[in-house]
Amino acid sequence: MEISKAEYSSAAAAASQSKASPASAHQELMGSEILVKSLQAEGVKQLWGYPGGAVLYIYDALYKQDSIQHVLVRHEQAAVHAADGFARATGEVGVALVTSGPGLTNAVTGIATAYTDSIPLVVISGQTSTAYIGTDAFQECDTVGITRPIVKHNFLVKDVRDLADTMKKAFHIARTGRPGPVVVDIPKDVSFKKALYTGYPEKVEMRSYNPVRKGHAGQIRKALQLLLAAKRPYIYTGGGVLLGNACNELRTLVDMLGYPVTHTLLGLGAYPASDRKFLGMLGMHGTIEANNAMQNCDVLLAVGARFDDRVIGNPKHFMSVERKIIHIDIDPSSISKRVKVDVPIVGDVKEVLTELIAMIREATTRPDAAALGQWWETIEGWRSRDCLKYDRGNTSVIKPQYVVETLWNMTRDADAYITSDVGQHQMWAAQYYRFDEPRRWINSGGLGTMGVGLPYAMGIKLAKPESEVFCITGEGSIQMNIQELATCLQYNTPVKVVSLNNRYLGMVRQWQEIEYSGRYSSSYMDSLPNFVKLAEAYGHVGMLIERPEDVEPALREARKLKDRTVFMDFRTDPTENVFPMVQAGRGITEMLLGADDL
Ligand SMILES: Cc1cc2nc3c(=O)[nH]c(=O)nc-3n(C[C@H](O)[C@H](O)[C@H](O)COP(=O)(O)OP(=O)(O)OC[C@H]3O[C@@H](n4cnc5c(N)ncnc54)[C@H](O)[C@@H]3O)c2cc1C
Ligand SMILES: Cc1ncc(C[n+]2csc(CCOP(=O)(O)OP(=O)(O)O)c2C)c(N)n1
Ligand SMILES: [Mg+2]
């Protein structure tokens, strides 16, 4: 349905009149205005988007207010990633706005990325007018159908009177239970039509959606008994601890018990990496001590972690030894999905850990100190192999690990956020930047989406203007959303890009070296742009760093340029590989530790 200009002007005039009237809760408002009021009521301060025909009424309503900042990205994928980065760093729901058809299809990768890592988002998409849906109308696509498998929930709003309620539900679903992205598809006529707005709903009622928060006390008690009787206990935690804001509880638990703890890629920062009880990341590129402890423990407490295949390796190998597994997760479908567990506890990690801590305090038994001492001795034996050692003193070529380690040394006490893209550089960032605080390490784990790093960084910088934001990337990944350098300039979100430029799709090259007998099929990155000039062309500062001795001065110089986006093109060793590495199909203790193992 096309809406004539005259029709629109009179509706807009009426709407602006109603806006001028005292803040009565009962007003006739256009759908677009109801949407903006809903976002305001949800406390949204910024959203990322890209306009098009189907969302122009929404853009018009945004134009007429000033409490929400709209950030015009250069590609819809980046809008969703920026909102996702914002959500990961702040714990709030991120919001993105895209037009119908290609706007929505461009957003799909962003939505799937957030979905796989359980990130709360509300993505608003325009749709062709209701009368035209299903007629192959201009820029029509089946948004609900396309996004169904990659959202926690989606809505098509067919009646403007449902809009405020739908928005309330969308935010509620996105942030409660196991978080996730929710898409709200709004046909153009719904954003134009008017309805009586009686205020934003205070409550949500959904009979079929009631996530369990409190864990079953009997199950928690069983867990307690197993934990206190353990000889070789181990605490394995993941993204759920960060998503559930339960880091303090985790720290209390680990410190009370004195047990070793490990994190998945998505859990880093939940427990301070600089504490001896932390064994490093586990999994495909985990440390010897973290992986060996996983295999050899007798009681495993899994908290907000989903036994991903990159974490347990070959499931048969993992299950070939006897151990009791306790699993705390808010989503019952995560439990016993990949490995069978002995004590399932469905509930919110904060609530369950609080109850477990209270029970430990009341318990008369204490952990078996002698057994624990022996377990720690074994672990220290593994740790003494120093599996993350590398050629630190190399003076002829920049080792990528050295760049990350230097950055960590310089910023460990600073208010810094580290985003990454996907590839070898991501693993080196996870291994060598030792995260002591939660929500400081922002990356894509489950989908492993190249191109997230820069949009993540700019999303965070907008919300945290006083913080330093670094994007550790590769020359392959950065090119997937490099256009966002323009957004960084327009919205004054100065970030520091640390590109570990090995001239290869390094992670692919590594797999080809190890699994495909060195047949490097399409993994060499030729014809790279001059990144220094490219950065300058976007109005930023570019730096080329080719010698190890220049790494630290370059980072120092870049940090001094507080108000500028700086692109650091570090020419790193093209042949370096990520170790330890568990090859596909192998058990997690069957690690390659270095080039000598190849
Ligand atoms: C190149 C590459 C290499 C990788 N290598 C590794 C590796 O070596 N090691 C590694 O660990 N990962 C690695 N990954 C990441 C891996 O693919 C998975 O994304 C990751 O392991 C999953 O982490 P998680 O188990 O913490 O799950 P998440 O996806 O973070 O899941 C969180 C779990 O917590 C639950 N949850 C959410 N909120 C709550 C709450 N409030 N209370 C209770 N439960 C809650 C959810 O239901 C879910 O089950 C790699 C990824 C890439 C791209
Ligand atoms: C969108 C997307 N396409 C392809 C891949 C597969 N992939 C994983 S890592 C990688 C190479 C990344 O290269 P680069 O960004 O240069 O990082 P490096 O591994 O060299 O550090 C590729 C192609 C992916 N993860 N995401
Ligand atoms: Mg590369």
Side-chain angles (χ1 to χ4, degrees):
M1 185 182 76
E2 273 316 309
I3 295 153
S4 75
K5 231 178 171 173
E7 240 183 319
Y8 172 60
S9 314
S10 68
S16 68
Q17 263 171 28
S18 66
K19 203 178 163 197
S21 66
S24 135
H26 293 69
Q27 307 168 51
E28 278 267 305
L29 294 183
M30 289 168 67
S32 52
E33 292 169 320
I34 294 175
L35 177 70
V36 168
K37 283 213 177 290
S38 305
L39 295 174
Q40 287 167 335
E42 288 289 350
V44 175
K45 293 278 177 289
Q46 50 267 115
L47 66 113
W48 290 263
Y50 208 93
V55 285
L56 285 184
Y57 292 112
I58 299 175
Y59 273 84
D60 205 38
L62 283 170
Y63 186 83
K64 293 179 195 155
Q65 57 81 53
D66 51 19
S67 75
I68 301 172
Q69 181 184 16
H70 176 274
V71 176
L72 176 66
V73 295
R74 271 44 176 177
H75 189 294
E76 289 89 348
Q77 180 187 348
V80 185
H81 290 328
D84 172 346
F86 163 88
R88 290 180 201 239
T90 62
E92 294 167 32
V93 178
V95 182
L97 169 61
V98 299
T99 193
S100 65
L104 180 278
T105 54
N106 270 353
V108 162
T109 301
I111 299 169
T113 303
Y115 178 67
T116 331
D117 292 348
S118 305
I119 305 303
L121 292 187
V122 170
V123 178
I124 300 156
S125 54
Q127 181 55 278
T128 194
S129 286
T130 43
Y132 284 79
I133 291 177
T135 66
D136 296 337
F138 177 62
Q139 294 193 328
E140 179 189 2
C141 75
D142 176 7
T143 297
V144 167
I146 289 172
T147 60
R148 182 168 289 127
I150 52 162
V151 290
K152 185 168 172 189
H153 198 69
N154 58 20
F155 295 96
L156 168 62
V157 186
K158 289 193 238 130
D159 189 325
V160 62
R161 288 169 297 186
D162 298 335
L163 189 51
D165 253 4
T166 306
M167 291 305 292
K168 179 78 184 178
K169 283 182 186 158
F171 275 87
H172 177 70
I173 294 170
R175 67 161 78 92
T176 54
R178 179 178 185 166
V182 178
V183 168
V184 184
D185 199 25
I186 305 180
K188 187 166 186 176
D189 57 326
V190 170
S191 68
F192 163 74
K193 281 185 185 158
K194 289 174 124 193
L196 190 66
Y197 180 68
T198 56
Y200 194 59
E202 272 168 24
K203 280 201 295 214
V204 195
E205 277 177 34
M206 279 180 290
R207 261 194 304 166
S208 53
Y209 177 71
N210 289 302
V212 176
R213 291 188 59 81
K214 221 172 140 43
H216 188 283
Q219 293 293 93
I220 301 177
R221 196 158 291 285
K222 269 194 213 161
L224 171 78
Q225 281 156 4
L226 278 178
L227 279 171
L228 292 181
K231 306 279 180 222
R232 298 183 311 280
Y234 198 32
I235 301 176
Y236 143 64
T237 87
V241 175
L242 299 168
L243 293 165
N245 298 312
C247 299
N248 288 340
E249 289 73 11
L250 176 71
R251 289 170 187 206
T252 306
L253 180 81
V254 173
D255 293 341
M256 273 171 99
L257 294 173
Y259 292 175
V261 60
T262 182
H263 298 325
T264 66
L265 180 74
L266 291 179
L268 297 173
Y271 188 84
S274 45
D275 188 277
R276 292 293 289 177
K277 288 189 282 307
F278 181 64
L279 305 193
M281 180 175 83
L282 85 168
M284 179 176 272
H285 295 294
T287 63
I288 299 184
E289 52 273 29
N291 283 5
N292 280 358
M294 186 76 166
Q295 191 69 359
N296 292 291
C297 63
D298 68 343
V299 175
L300 179 67
L301 174 65
V303 193
R306 56 186 176 78
F307 293 90
D308 187 83
D309 50 280
R310 297 234 151 177
V311 167
I312 61 161
N314 182 332
K316 276 204 189 119
H317 176 271
F318 181 69
M319 294 309 279
S320 65
V321 292
E322 280 271 312
R323 64 169 100 58
K324 294 283 179 209
I325 303 181
I326 305 156
H327 190 182
I328 305 169
D329 203 292
I330 201 156
D331 181 354
S333 79
S334 262
I335 292 181
S336 290
K337 187 176 202 161
R338 307 207 63 245
V339 302
K340 208 176 150 338
V341 309
D342 302 282
V343 183
I345 304 173
V346 177
D348 174 55
V349 60
K350 199 178 181 78
E351 300 238 357
V352 176
L353 289 187
T354 303
E355 202 157 339
L356 183 60
I357 290 165
M359 285 185 192
I360 296 172
R361 287 211 172 102
E362 282 165 18
T364 47
T365 33
R366 284 283 157 253
D368 179 341
L372 191 58
Q374 271 186 10
W375 179 222
W376 270 114
E377 248 176 61
T378 310
I379 291 171
E380 291 304 343
W382 291 323
R383 179 144 54 191
S384 67
R385 294 176 65 186
D386 191 12
C387 67
L388 293 181
K389 64 177 172 286
Y390 66 94
D391 184 10
R392 271 197 183 84
N394 195 312
T395 50
S396 52
V397 62
I398 299 177
K399 288 287 170 184
Q401 302 94 323
Y402 175 66
V403 180
V404 177
E405 215 168 44
T406 308
L407 179 64
W408 171 64
N409 272 317
M410 290 172 78
T411 58
R412 54 200 294 184
D413 298 320
D415 171 13
Y417 289 81
I418 309 293
T419 76
S420 92
D421 266 301
V422 170
Q424 291 181 313
H425 61 274
Q426 177 189 21
M427 293 300 110
W428 288 315
Q431 293 173 328
Y432 294 90
Y433 198 102
R434 303 177 65 78
F435 295 93
D436 279 342
E437 294 297 329
R439 296 191 182 276
R440 297 283 171 161
W441 163 236
I442 313 293
N443 76 132
S444 161
L447 205 65
T449 307
M450 288 169 70
V452 293
L454 182 58
Y456 276 173
M458 71 185 197
I460 297 166
K461 185 68 185 172
L462 193 72
K464 309 264 180 192
E466 300 309 320
S467 308
E468 292 184 70
V469 185
F470 296 89
C471 164
I472 297 179
T473 184
E475 79 297 337
S477 295
I478 193 68
Q479 292 187 79
M480 287 214 175
N481 269 315
I482 198 152
Q483 75 287 343
E484 298 310 318
L485 285 174
T487 315
C488 288
L489 187 71
Q490 183 169 345
Y491 293 90
N492 189 25
T493 47
V495 301
K496 307 292 182 263
V497 179
V498 177
S499 179
L500 305 182
N501 181 351
N502 52 10
R503 281 80 74 208
Y504 274 107
L505 298 173
M507 189 53 95
V508 174
R509 190 203 53 73
Q510 174 166 349
W511 277 64
Q512 289 172 336
E513 179 181 343
I514 296 171
E515 308 265 354
Y516 297 86
S517 311
R519 290 185 297 279
Y520 299 122
S521 180
S522 296
S523 53
Y524 182 66
M525 264 274 162
D526 205 351
S527 306
L528 286 169
N530 179 327
F531 287 108
V532 172
K533 283 192 180 161
L534 190 63
E536 287 167 0
Y538 274 109
H540 303 308
V541 177
M543 290 181 183
L544 175 64
I545 306 102
E546 294 179 289
R547 297 179 313 173
E549 67 265 34
D550 294 335
V551 169
E552 197 181 337
L555 286 168
R556 207 175 309 117
E557 178 64 25
R559 289 185 72 203
K560 270 198 221 144
L561 298 169
K562 278 194 169 44
D563 301 330
R564 304 293 302 274
T565 288
V566 182
F567 193 114
M568 285 162 273
D569 182 9
F570 290 96
R571 295 297 162 89
T572 57
D573 184 349
T575 60
E576 189 64 52
N577 286 330
V578 181
F579 292 112
M581 176 186 181
V582 178
Q583 287 177 265
R586 296 293 171 89
I588 49 163
T589 52
E590 301 171 333
M591 286 169 269
L592 301 176
L593 296 180
D596 294 347
D597 288 347
L598 295 179

